[in-house]
Amino acid sequence: MASTEGCGGENQPKFNKYAVACAIVASMISIIFGYDTGVMSGAMIFIKDDLKIHDTQVEILAGILNICALVGSLLAGRTSDYIGRRYTIAVACAIFMIGSILMGYGPNYAVLMAGRCTAGVGVGFALMIAPVYSAEVSSPSSRGFLTSLPELGISIGILLGYISNVTFGKLTLKIGWRLMLGLAAVPSVILGIGIARMPESPRWLVMQGRLGEAKKILLLVSNSKEEAEARFRDIKVAAGIDVNCKDDHIKLPKETHGEGVWKELLLRPTPAVRWILIAAIGIHFFEHAVGIEAVVLYSPRIFKKAGITGKEKLLLATVGVGLTKFTFIFISTFLIDRVGRRRLLLTSTTGIIASLTVLGSCLTIVEYHNGGKLLWALSMSIISTYVFVAFFNIGLAPVTWVYSSEIFPLKLRAQGYSIGVAVNRLMNAIISMSFISLYKAITIGGAFFLFGGVAVIGWLFFYFLFPETKGRSLEEMESLFSKGVWAKNESVEIQPRNNSV
């Protein structure tokens, strides 16, 4: 059956207000995660002084969240297939709140680590579910915008975390960092209220045989009745359901709860699914292998190495990182459906390579002069850091989450995407927990030259393996990957799954 892409107004540029509202609520969980990441950057300065911990403990504190997030993301894939996307967001919210309370209490390093680990599991749930939910409620024409909202939420959260550092850093040592970390519990309560008004993902409902409910929600998140019917028909085909089936509720095989997915993903994948999985794992690997977490978490140390002194100046320079991240993520949300994923990704990676080369060079020169004041090198270090953050966030950051959430077939989406998120968190943890040791071993300039080299490999990977997905329906993706990276914009055949009813 040919795709209905473009039929019934499906590809209209108009945004559906209800779908936007759903994606915004889902993205609030990402704001909490972003805040937790950003605030830890400055909080670590005060935690180290208060709890008298050494650099290795600081690295573990920074990175343990992502190790736990790896576990959380894998659990979230199966959970979201079983209880639904909406209730999985609620679970993530509750876990976050518990973790934030523990960190805000933090009488010692052990309790602080327990809170950080708990929050990490919530991070894994949040990173997996928010983009998947946003992708499944959106039309092809607006999917890039809506699916990038969670990444925008992360950037807002990181900026708020940096601002919290500056604000609460003026309080007493014992109170300031605890307020920074504990404040994340407040938006968790607000999000809980919003979740009560969210609908379930229509694609998940179809996989459960709840066709009547799915159609009602599609009417709400589509721009016209014709578009809703076209999307409903494509989803049924992808789920292996007879398009002429008029029942509101049908019984589907047990596999719709996620059983058997790992076999189709890892043991007996089709060539297209294997390519999709490699693409998803690869883009999540390179997102953090280029070193962004080193800048987000350790920017005070980087600026200190460049020549900035004093805690307040360091924290203010870090706020600039947050502002740059937010600004360019915001711009990218409007470009991703117009420019396309592939072009934005390649342009972004080119800018990352250039900025990392300049940053590595400037930091090497500063270090060579044994900490002597070199105003031009200091200025170029700060500028190249901001340029790196800008290029990263206008392309690689949002495209990673948009692309990997939209390319998996319906039945494999949640658990396939969770593998990508697990790789993402693993790389995040590796960079977070090794950066201090890395720059001590090969110099801080050498560390950024290494990240730049990885970015070159990433550019080649994206160029040769990533077809453009702009404007395609989710149900077309498997066939698109079967056609090849240079596939043009003609319709592709939608392949039904083996669940025929």
Side-chain angles (χ1 to χ4, degrees):
M1 175 179 172
S3 166
T4 52
E5 172 70 24
C7 297
E10 172 135 18
N11 229 4
Q12 293 178 18
K14 180 181 176 183
F15 289 116
N16 179 276
K17 293 179 181 178
Y18 192 78
V20 171
C22 291
I24 288 173
V25 173
S27 301
M28 283 183 66
I29 192 74
S30 299
I31 295 177
I32 303 170
F33 159 57
Y35 177 86
D36 189 72
T37 300
V39 80
M40 187 56 74
S41 172
M44 285 190 296
I45 299 173
F46 304 100
I47 292 169
K48 185 176 181 181
D49 290 344
D50 186 20
L51 300 183
K52 304 295 186 291
I53 58 177
H54 48 74
D55 279 346
T56 301
Q57 289 175 301
V58 170
E59 283 184 318
I60 293 171
L61 182 63
I64 197 67
L65 177 138
N66 294 295
I67 296 293
C68 297
L70 187 157
V71 176
S73 65
L74 293 174
L75 290 173
R78 181 63 182 272
T79 302
S80 68
D81 275 343
Y82 194 76
I83 67 173
R85 315 315 195 207
R86 177 179 173 230
Y87 288 116
T88 302
I89 295 175
V91 170
C93 182
I95 296 172
F96 255 131
M97 185 165 61
I98 294 168
S100 299
I101 292 170
L102 284 172
M103 286 191 292
Y105 172 55
N108 53 51
Y109 185 71
V111 174
L112 185 60
M113 283 289 289
R116 188 83 167 146
C117 288
T118 304
V121 176
V123 166
F125 271 77
L127 288 176
M128 181 265 142
I129 196 59
V132 167
Y133 178 86
S134 299
E136 291 189 345
V137 299
S138 58
S139 300
S141 60
S142 62
R143 189 175 60 246
F145 173 79
L146 295 186
T147 311
S148 62
L149 287 181
E151 185 66 25
L152 179 63
I154 292 173
S155 68
I156 292 171
I158 288 174
L159 177 58
L160 291 175
Y162 289 156
I163 293 171
S164 176
N165 288 154
V166 175
T167 304
F168 294 117
K170 298 173 182 177
L171 300 178
T172 62
L173 183 62
K174 290 188 177 296
I175 294 175
W177 67 265
R178 289 179 171 87
L179 281 176
M180 294 176 195
L181 299 178
L183 195 63
V186 176
S188 298
V189 177
I190 299 172
L191 177 58
I193 298 170
I195 291 171
R197 300 182 64 84
M198 284 173 62
E200 183 51 83
S201 158
R203 286 176 166 89
W204 182 81
L205 290 171
V206 169
M207 288 297 293
Q208 310 312 305
R210 294 156 63 178
L211 305 184
E213 295 174 65
K215 189 169 184 179
K216 288 178 183 177
I217 293 170
L218 281 169
L219 287 169
L220 292 173
V221 299
S222 300
N223 291 320
S224 66
K225 183 178 179 181
E226 291 77 14
E227 177 190 331
E229 289 176 349
R231 292 172 67 182
F232 188 48
R233 186 166 58 251
D234 279 357
I235 295 168
K236 285 198 291 186
V237 170
I241 299 172
D242 186 351
V243 292
N244 297 314
C245 178
K246 302 299 182 183
D247 295 337
D248 285 342
H249 198 295
I250 60 175
K251 188 172 180 61
L252 290 175
K254 189 179 179 182
E255 284 76 10
T256 57
H257 287 294
E259 290 84 351
V261 167
W262 294 115
K263 290 182 181 179
E264 291 190 45
L265 275 172
L266 302 175
L267 299 181
R268 296 194 302 273
T270 64
V273 169
R274 186 183 298 110
W275 183 0
I276 288 169
L277 185 62
I278 291 170
I281 289 174
I283 196 169
H284 279 285
F285 169 85
F286 285 110
E287 186 191 17
H288 287 288
V290 299
I292 187 62
E293 202 65 17
V295 172
V296 172
L297 268 180
Y298 296 107
S299 49
R301 286 178 180 251
I302 295 168
F303 293 137
K304 188 175 182 179
K305 284 282 186 180
I308 297 177
T309 56
K311 286 182 181 178
E312 190 169 346
K313 288 182 180 179
L314 287 172
L315 292 176
L316 285 172
T318 302
V319 170
V321 172
L323 281 170
T324 304
K325 181 175 177 61
F326 168 75
T327 301
F328 284 87
I329 277 285
F330 183 76
I331 293 170
S332 74
T333 60
F334 296 98
L335 292 178
I336 200 164
D337 283 319
R338 296 184 180 185
V339 176
R341 286 58 154 159
R342 179 180 164 84
R343 187 183 301 175
L344 209 55
L345 188 60
L346 293 173
T347 302
S348 167
T349 310
T350 302
I352 287 170
I353 294 166
S355 57
L356 284 173
T357 302
V358 174
L359 178 58
S361 301
C362 291
L363 289 173
T364 299
I365 291 169
V366 170
E367 199 159 34
Y368 179 75
H369 281 77
N370 297 317
K373 286 283 185 180
L374 290 174
L375 186 58
W376 71 268
L378 167 61
S379 301
M380 285 303 297
S381 295
I382 295 171
I383 290 169
S384 56
T385 298
Y386 290 163
V387 171
F388 168 52
V389 172
F391 272 107
F392 177 84
N393 286 285
I394 205 167
L396 183 55
V399 173
T400 294
W401 302 97
V402 172
Y403 202 88
S404 57
S405 67
E406 67 187 1
I407 58 177
F408 283 99
L410 177 59
K411 179 184 172 184
L412 310 181
R413 184 169 301 129
Q415 295 186 50
Y417 184 66
S418 73
I419 294 174
V421 174
V423 171
N424 186 285
R425 293 300 91 192
L426 177 62
M427 289 308 303
N428 193 311
I430 290 171
I431 300 300
S432 302
M433 299 174 79
S434 67
F435 180 66
I436 295 175
S437 302
L438 178 66
Y439 80 67
K440 285 182 178 179
I442 65 172
T443 75
I444 194 162
F448 284 104
F449 282 133
L450 176 62
F451 294 144
V454 172
V456 172
I457 299 171
W459 190 95
L460 295 171
F461 180 81
F462 302 143
Y463 183 81
F464 288 108
L465 291 180
F466 279 51
E468 180 58 70
T469 57
K470 181 184 77 168
R472 302 285 192 177
S473 72
L474 293 180
E475 286 65 46
E476 286 183 286
M477 295 300 172
E478 190 172 357
S479 295
L480 175 64
F481 274 80
S482 298
K483 294 188 69 173
V485 72
W486 309 115
K488 302 299 181 183
N489 290 326
E490 68 268 14
S491 286
V492 295
E493 192 75 13
I494 296 176
Q495 301 297 328
R497 309 304 295 174
N498 297 321
N499 296 333
S500 298
V501 174

